[in-house]
Amino acid sequence: MDEVAKADQIILDQFKKFDINGDGSISLDEFKAVFMKLGATEAEAVATFQGVDINGDGKAEIPEFVAWLAKKPTSDIGDTANTTAWGAKIFPNGICGEKLDLLLAEDYQSSMSPDLTHLLEGSGAMDLYMQMVGEIRISPKGADLALSTENVASVVDKYRANFRKHDVLMFLCRKLQTNNGYCYYKWLEFADAKTNPYYAPQEVFKPKQIEESLALGWGSKVMPPGVYGEKLEGWKNPDYKNLIPMPLYNFLESKNAVSVYNAMLDEVLRNPKGVDFALKSKEVAKLVQKYRPAFRAKAVNIFSCRYLQIDARMHIYHKWVEFTCMQASGVYVPAESYNPDGTIGVAGHR
C-alpha cells in the first residue's frame, strides 16, 4: 500500500469511529458520544462539532471531516507515533499536547506537533519550552525518574508562571489505565490564553487532590479526611514508583515519607519467597508493623487491612493498606485493620 493509500485509510478509519451507525455521515450525537469518551465536556464536543459541520446541516460528511482533520496535528487524531495507549486524546481548537516520553528523544524538537510549534513560536515561548524540557531531561534523580510525575510536576510548576507571561497556559496531565494492569499515561497540554483563558483539561494533575474513597471489589471504602488507601495489586509491579495513586503520593511527599514507602515496597519485591508470598495477609501485616515506626517519625501512620467478602458465588479476601496523617486523624484505626497475630481492629496498633 503506498503512502497516499495509507493516509486515506487512516482518515477513513477515523471517520468510521465517529460514524457509529454506519450511514456515511456523523451526527452531533455520534460526535458527542465519541468526543466525550476521549475526555471532552459536552460543551467542548458541541463547539468542536460546529467547526466540523461546515455547511451547518447538522451532520458531517467525509469532505467536512477531512477538512477538519487537516486543521489538526496528527497527534490529535490518533497517529500511532503520538497517541496514548488508552486511545487518542482529541484536543479542542487552540489546544496542543505533547506526550512526555517524546521529551527524552534525541531529536525531541523535531517530534513536536505542528500546532505546538506554531503556538510556542507565535507567543515567543519556544526558548522557554526548550529550557524547561532540558531541565526535565537532566533530572538529578537520573534518566529513569526524569519523567516521573514528581519530577515533571516540580519543573512544570516552576515554569508555569513564565509561560503565562507569554499568554500560554500549561498543564501536566495524567490518566490511569486499568484494563491490563495499572499504568499512568502522562502528557503536557498547552493552550493559547488569549483564546482559551479558562481552559483546564479534565485529566490535569492536581497536587492537592484528595482521595475520597478506595474502590474495592465489595464496594468503595470511604476514607475520612487525612486518610489515604492503596490496594495491594500495584505492589506486584516493579514500576510501582510510577503507579502509586496521586493523592497518596502527594500526601507522602508532603510528609517527606516517600523514601520510607519505597523502601517498604522494595522489600516486597525482594522477598526470597516471591511477591505473591510477600503479599499474604500476615506477611503484609508484619511488614507494615516493621515500617510503622519509620512512618510515624514522619507523622504518618500505616495499617494493613483485610475484608472477607462472602456471597452466594465466592469467599474472597480484599487487601489494602491505609495511610493517615497523625495530626489530622488522631487515634484513627480502620475497622478492617489486620494485625500479624491475625486479630482485626485496634489491637497491635498502639
Side-chain angles (χ1 to χ4, degrees):
M1 184 182 292
D2 60 29
E3 293 303 315
V4 173
K6 287 182 180 178
D8 288 344
Q9 187 60 49
I10 289 174
I11 291 174
L12 182 59
D13 290 343
Q14 291 293 327
F15 184 85
K16 288 180 178 178
K17 290 180 182 178
F18 285 85
D19 181 17
I20 298 174
N21 63 11
D23 66 354
S25 64
I26 303 170
S27 68
L28 173 59
D29 287 341
E30 289 175 318
F31 190 85
K32 286 196 301 183
V34 176
F35 212 65
M36 291 172 68
K37 277 185 178 180
L38 297 173
T41 65
E42 183 174 7
E44 289 170 342
V46 172
T48 304
F49 181 77
Q50 292 173 349
V52 183
D53 181 18
I54 298 174
N55 63 14
D57 65 353
K59 57 186 179 180
E61 310 286 351
I62 287 185
E64 294 172 302
F65 189 75
V66 170
W68 175 61
L69 293 184
K71 299 177 182 178
K72 303 190 69 59
T74 55
S75 61
D76 294 351
I77 62 171
D79 180 72
T80 54
N82 218 4
T83 189
T84 57
W86 48 272
K89 163 76 178 183
I90 299 181
F91 302 114
N93 291 329
I95 311 301
C96 316
E98 187 83 315
K99 287 205 306 177
L100 292 192
D101 55 2
L102 295 177
L103 302 185
L104 295 185
E106 196 168 316
D107 57 344
Y108 65 91
Q109 186 171 0
S110 64
S111 68
M112 292 173 57
S113 72
D115 276 7
L116 179 56
T117 300
H118 177 75
L119 173 63
L120 295 177
E121 289 182 345
S123 62
M126 180 61 79
D127 289 345
L128 185 64
Y129 172 80
M130 290 302 165
Q131 182 180 344
M132 181 186 72
V133 171
E135 190 164 329
I136 291 174
R137 287 164 61 97
I138 60 172
S139 167
K141 298 182 178 180
D144 291 343
L145 292 179
L147 298 184
S148 67
T149 305
E150 174 191 16
N151 182 57
V152 177
S154 64
V155 177
V156 166
D157 287 344
K158 175 181 175 180
Y159 281 85
R160 182 175 286 112
N162 287 330
F163 274 97
R164 189 64 182 84
K165 292 176 182 177
H166 289 270
D167 291 316
V168 175
L169 304 178
M170 178 175 59
F171 307 91
L172 171 61
C173 299
R174 190 167 80 166
K175 181 180 177 71
L176 177 63
Q177 181 259 328
T178 58
N179 294 332
N180 297 301
Y182 291 82
C183 185
Y184 279 114
Y185 295 100
K186 297 172 283 190
W187 66 98
L188 295 174
E189 287 191 28
F190 300 83
D192 184 342
K194 294 178 182 177
T195 56
N196 298 277
Y198 305 111
Y199 177 75
Q202 185 178 24
E203 310 91 346
V204 66
F205 174 72
K206 302 175 181 178
K208 299 301 183 183
Q209 181 177 342
I210 298 175
E211 184 171 62
E212 296 180 350
S213 63
L214 182 67
L216 297 161
W218 47 272
S220 291
K221 161 83 187 224
V222 178
M223 303 294 177
V227 180
Y228 304 83
E230 181 178 24
K231 293 186 287 186
L232 298 187
E233 288 93 330
W235 289 16
K236 296 182 179 182
N237 194 316
D239 192 32
Y240 67 86
K241 292 178 183 177
N242 287 324
L243 303 181
I244 180 173
M246 271 190 301
L248 173 58
Y249 179 85
N250 294 326
F251 165 63
L252 294 177
E253 185 180 39
S254 71
K255 298 296 183 181
N256 197 27
V258 174
S259 60
V260 181
Y261 172 90
N262 289 343
M264 182 175 67
L265 266 66
D266 281 342
E267 191 163 328
V268 170
L269 294 173
R270 293 196 310 265
N271 191 295
K273 295 184 179 181
V275 174
D276 288 336
F277 177 83
L279 294 182
K280 288 180 176 292
S281 298
K282 287 190 177 181
E283 294 303 310
V284 173
K286 288 190 290 185
L287 185 69
V288 165
Q289 188 177 60
K290 174 182 176 180
Y291 279 87
R292 185 173 289 122
F295 276 109
R296 284 182 170 175
K298 306 289 187 179
V300 175
N301 214 343
I302 180 173
F303 306 92
S304 59
C305 299
R306 189 173 80 167
Y307 178 84
L308 177 60
Q309 176 189 356
I310 303 176
D311 58 30
R313 296 172 299 168
M314 68 180 78
H315 290 193
I316 185 171
Y317 279 112
H318 298 282
K319 297 177 286 186
W320 69 98
V321 289
E322 292 187 23
F323 300 81
T324 74
C325 174
M326 294 176 67
Q327 297 97 326
S329 57
V331 295
Y332 171 81
V333 175
E336 309 89 350
S337 63
Y338 183 84
N339 306 310
D341 61 1
T343 59
I344 297 293
V346 176
H349 290 299
R350 298 299 183 191

